[in-house]
Amino acid sequence: MATTDVQMLQDGLRRGRRKLTRPRQAVLDTIAEADTCLSPAEVYRRAKARYPRLGLTTVYRTLELLADLGYLQRVHGDGGCHSYAAVQRHHSHHLLCSCCGRTEEFACGSLDPLVEALQATTGFHIEGHILEMIGVCPSCRERKGQG
Amino acid sequence: MATTDVQMLQDGLRRGRRKLTRPRQAVLDTIAEADTCLSPAEVYRRAKARYPRLGLTTVYRTLELLADLGYLQRVHGDGGCHSYAAVQRHHSHHLLCSCCGRTEEFACGSLDPLVEALQATTGFHIEGHILEMIGVCPSCRERKGQG
DNA sequence: ATTATTGCAAAACGTTTGCAGGTTC
DNA sequence: GAACCTGCAAACGTTTTGCAATAAT
């Protein structure tokens, strides 16, 4: 994690009178360095390498906190919705590879017309959405093509 | 459930050498009549009124089966992704009311340009997506406005 | 010093599985 | 009557909770 990121995290935490602790750093660093989305158990396994005293309970609590603060986002996949990935921008979405689990972040433009239309036809006031794309990443495509 | 729906269900099941049983009818009817998405536990509670011998295990198995056949769809919400709603068309999406839980089905047009753009920039081959809209339904808006 | 955070152990929870008996085709 | 489906009870993995000890401000 770059220095500015530590700074941003620290600021974000301070705003809510929260503390920057080693377990929290370990969890965030772990997810930031992964290029896939990770389940709580997997975060625990990896983050424990950085900070061996880490407890699973703390991982759960930290994932929730960091997601609330916007540093992480829950990723919904076909199998479930209990994995997390890092986000650079607030409210972004993920493209996930159904083959290797790799994730790629993307911004959602082009959804506005749909939102407008739905609001008009249904009378709902739309406040948010969940959007994930599922596909096969370039390297898996290549591997499949050759294998 | 209308007669044609029973017919369709029966056909769908037969195609996979599956049987039309009372528990399965009870589960499907329950979800078809609800205007919200339902958790497995809630389906169990309601469907048991129709068929008291029903077991929770069967509800889980039936939800999976009917979702595979395309009669139900898992709905992803902020809280989780373990609720199911009926679908008229295959691959549709839901608008869900964060206030009362009501769901409304909608088709996803307008996503194609985004898919195209993502495929071009990332090299992923996109095969599917998860999309849910979250908002407040007309009657909840009214209630809030008055209360 | 004050307050938030941690890790542990245990509890609670939702979901899945093996299997004998029952139901549908 | 063959194949499939069911419900039960038990097993399972995941998530949450209470609490005394610890670490950050």
Side-chain angles (χ1 to χ4, degrees):
Chain A
M1 187 157 68
T3 312
T4 52
D5 294 333
V6 178
Q7 190 63 51
M8 279 179 56
L9 174 57
Q10 205 154 20
D11 291 352
L13 289 169
R14 231 195 304 265
R15 238 171 272 131
R17 264 194 224 81
R18 299 310 188 72
K19 293 171 182 175
L20 179 59
T21 62
R22 295 193 77 251
R24 286 176 182 173
Q25 279 187 52
V27 167
L28 187 56
D29 288 356
T30 296
I31 297 187
E33 283 188 12
D35 62 350
T36 65
C37 56
L38 303 176
S39 65
E42 183 62 18
V43 171
Y44 176 59
R45 203 182 64 71
R46 297 192 188 188
K48 220 172 159 61
R50 294 167 185 274
Y51 183 66
R53 292 205 254 159
L54 184 66
L56 180 55
T57 307
T58 300
V59 171
Y60 277 99
R61 290 192 278 226
T62 302
L63 289 173
E64 193 184 346
L65 173 67
L66 294 180
D68 282 351
L69 292 175
Y71 294 99
L72 300 179
Q73 211 163 265
R74 188 174 263 196
V75 176
H76 296 249
D78 281 334
C81 57
H82 302 282
S83 292
Y84 291 81
V87 292
Q88 258 84 60
R89 307 170 278 287
H90 277 228
H91 188 79
S92 53
H93 298 283
H94 290 89
L95 218 173
L96 54 129
C97 177
S98 58
C99 185
C100 69
R102 183 179 313 183
T103 60
E104 194 117 343
E105 198 177 339
F106 70 88
C108 58
S110 29
L111 226 51
D112 293 349
L114 179 55
V115 170
E116 296 286 326
L118 281 172
Q119 292 195 135
T121 55
T122 64
F124 271 64
H125 177 238
I126 297 177
E127 297 174 329
H129 57 257
I130 291 170
L131 173 63
E132 315 279 356
M133 294 283 176
I134 296 149
V136 184
C137 75
S139 56
C140 283
R141 290 177 70 187
E142 198 174 328
R143 192 144 30 76
K144 278 184 172 179
Q146 290 175 352
Chain B
M1 187 156 70
T3 311
T4 52
D5 294 334
V6 178
Q7 190 63 50
M8 279 178 57
L9 173 57
Q10 206 153 21
D11 291 351
L13 290 169
R14 230 192 308 260
R15 237 171 274 130
R17 262 193 227 85
R18 299 311 188 71
K19 292 172 180 173
L20 179 58
T21 62
R22 290 185 87 286
R24 285 176 181 172
Q25 278 187 52
V27 167
L28 187 55
D29 288 355
T30 296
I31 298 188
E33 284 188 9
D35 62 351
T36 65
C37 56
L38 303 175
S39 64
E42 183 62 18
V43 171
Y44 175 59
R45 203 183 64 73
R46 297 192 188 189
K48 221 172 158 60
R50 294 166 184 274
Y51 183 68
R53 290 205 256 160
L54 185 66
L56 180 55
T57 307
T58 300
V59 170
Y60 277 99
R61 289 192 278 227
T62 302
L63 289 174
E64 194 184 346
L65 173 66
L66 295 180
D68 283 350
L69 292 175
Y71 294 100
L72 301 179
Q73 210 164 264
R74 186 173 265 195
V75 176
H76 297 250
D78 280 334
C81 57
H82 301 283
S83 291
Y84 291 82
V87 291
Q88 258 84 59
R89 306 171 279 285
H90 276 228
H91 188 79
S92 53
H93 299 283
H94 291 89
L95 218 172
L96 52 131
C97 177
S98 57
C99 186
C100 70
R102 183 179 313 182
T103 59
E104 194 117 344
E105 199 177 338
F106 70 89
C108 59
S110 31
L111 226 52
D112 294 348
L114 179 55
V115 169
E116 297 286 326
L118 281 172
Q119 293 194 135
T121 55
T122 64
F124 270 65
H125 177 238
I126 297 178
E127 297 174 329
H129 57 256
I130 291 170
L131 173 63
E132 315 279 356
M133 293 284 176
I134 295 148
V136 184
C137 75
S139 56
C140 283
R141 289 176 72 186
E142 198 174 328
R143 192 144 30 77
K144 278 184 171 178
Q146 290 174 352

